[in-house]
Amino acid sequence: MTKVAIVTGATGGIGEKFIQRISLMDDIEEVWAVGRSREKLERLKASCPKVMTVEADIGEDGIDIIEELIKQVSPDIRMLINNAGVAYMGDFEKMTEDKIRSFCKVNCSAPSELMAICLPYMHEGSKILNISSASSFQPNPYLSMYSASKAYLKNLSRALNVELKNRKITVTSVCPYWVDTGMLPRERDGKKINYPGMVSTDLVVDKALKDSSKGKDMSVPGFFAQYFRIYSKITPTSIVMKQWVAGIRKYL
Ligand SMILES: NC(=O)c1ccc[n+]([C@@H]2O[C@H](COP(=O)([O-])OP(=O)(O)OC[C@H]3O[C@@H](n4cnc5c(N)ncnc54)[C@H](OP(=O)(O)O)[C@@H]3O)[C@@H](O)[C@H]2O)c1
């Protein structure tokens, strides 16, 4: 059985970094890089020989494509990284039903379905990493669907880490604050956007892999995210939300 790691959102900042790191691991023979853009996937394959490209849109029928492939190959899945995600900042009322549906699919149902599909092919020591966010620590007005979806993924991950203890499979929820990737717009209506405490993809991925190897259910990279985790626990949620809105108001 081929020892495989599966990474969704492989063509973006954090996903691409995971691919680079995992490709160096001796116990992984193939890295399945899941993405929508054939061109970006081919570029990734050219730089990492262990990469096998899987062209799939997980907001559409992508999960079925991955499931079919898994059934055909019957791999030993050593690692699953649910990294693909979408964000939307603005009024909830401006989101169309289609946008809401596809948002929930990419950020919530796709990672849940993928875990269910992969688990029968995982064994003792296999690892799942779900990329949540520090936005999961409290509700974020004007980033409402995103913070809610990330809270879903974090809570699911932590619960499954307990459920899967008897199989010695770990589930780690990765919760960064701002990360320097293409997901973050650099300006809005001509105004430059500041991201306090922004960290690199190297920091996020190295810490996530370390925490996962220790069997931790949470990985919170960087001082800012760690501080914010504690702050949002001890401060009334209404105050945390008010401060958040005050900080982003100028960009809305
Ligand atoms: N950047 C941050 O500040 C930050 C902070 C906390 C958590 N996160 C989380 O980290 C994860 C990775 O984000 P990133 O910052 O690396 O952003 P990114 O560079 O925009 O990468 C997002 C990845 O998700 C993929 N994706 C989006 N929709 C998809 C779909 N329907 N089907 C398949 N793939 C899809 C994108 O593929 P395409 O190339 O095809 O678009 C891309 O590879 C996300 O879950 C995000 O929520 C990010």
Side-chain angles (χ1 to χ4, degrees):
M1 275 195 294
T2 313
K3 291 185 171 59
V4 158
I6 302 176
V7 183
T8 68
T11 52
I14 297 173
E16 197 169 342
K17 190 59 69 179
F18 268 117
I19 299 271
Q20 289 168 6
R21 291 291 192 274
I22 294 167
S23 294
L24 301 174
M25 293 178 176
D26 292 336
D27 57 338
I28 300 289
E29 292 166 314
E30 266 181 17
V31 184
W32 292 9
V34 182
R36 290 182 292 190
S37 154
R38 182 176 301 177
E39 197 189 325
K40 287 184 196 170
L41 286 170
E42 286 308 327
R43 227 181 296 139
L44 202 57
K45 188 171 171 51
S47 62
C48 299
K50 280 188 193 173
V51 163
M52 195 190 91
T53 61
V54 183
E55 201 182 321
D57 184 338
I58 62 165
E60 301 288 337
D61 63 347
I63 296 296
D64 298 337
I65 294 171
I66 304 167
E67 182 174 21
E68 202 45 49
L69 191 63
I70 290 172
K71 281 183 180 159
Q72 274 171 26
V73 177
S74 200
D76 173 4
I77 302 178
R78 303 306 302 157
M79 205 176 260
L80 165 65
I81 303 189
N82 276 310
N83 165 72
V86 283
Y88 164 75
M89 185 180 270
D91 294 355
F92 173 78
E93 282 187 288
K94 288 192 181 143
M95 287 181 87
T96 61
E97 278 176 49
D98 275 353
K99 191 156 184 180
I100 290 172
R101 215 172 288 124
S102 103
F103 201 100
C104 290
K105 174 82 179 152
V106 174
N107 284 18
C108 300
S109 25
S112 314
E113 288 174 53
L114 208 45
M115 283 193 280
I117 291 164
C118 289
L119 273 167
Y121 298 85
M122 298 184 112
H123 305 95
E124 185 174 327
S126 292
K127 305 197 167 310
I128 299 174
L129 288 90
N130 289 326
I131 314 308
S132 173
S133 164
S135 291
S136 68
F137 299 156
Q138 74 296 310
N140 286 140
Y142 306 103
L143 196 64
S144 56
M145 289 277 303
Y146 183 76
S147 62
S149 69
K150 293 301 184 182
Y152 167 91
L153 194 56
K154 181 190 72 182
N155 287 354
L156 178 65
S157 308
R158 299 190 78 182
L160 292 188
N161 189 53
V162 174
E163 282 190 37
L164 294 167
K165 267 214 163 62
N166 57 345
R167 288 188 60 196
K168 296 193 166 53
I169 293 171
T170 59
V171 186
T172 306
S173 175
V174 181
C175 297
Y177 208 85
W178 306 119
V179 189
D180 191 4
T181 72
M183 180 175 267
L184 303 182
R186 301 302 146 142
E187 57 168 56
R188 195 161 168 132
D189 298 332
K191 282 185 213 127
K192 190 175 171 293
I193 305 179
N194 294 316
Y195 295 102
M198 186 158 76
V199 296
S200 67
T201 55
D202 292 273
L203 184 101
V204 175
V205 169
D206 290 342
K207 180 158 175 57
L209 291 172
K210 206 168 165 185
D211 288 336
S212 155
S213 73
K214 289 180 183 163
K216 291 190 178 176
D217 65 347
M218 289 281 286
S219 179
V220 183
F223 171 78
F224 204 80
Q226 284 163 13
Y227 167 81
F228 193 66
R229 186 182 178 197
I230 297 167
Y231 181 76
S232 59
K233 264 189 190 165
I234 60 175
T235 310
T237 304
S238 58
I239 295 177
V240 181
M241 287 198 291
K242 226 179 248 174
Q243 288 169 336
W244 161 259
V245 173
I248 60 155
R249 192 180 299 282
K250 58 180 178 287
Y251 305 121
L252 293 172

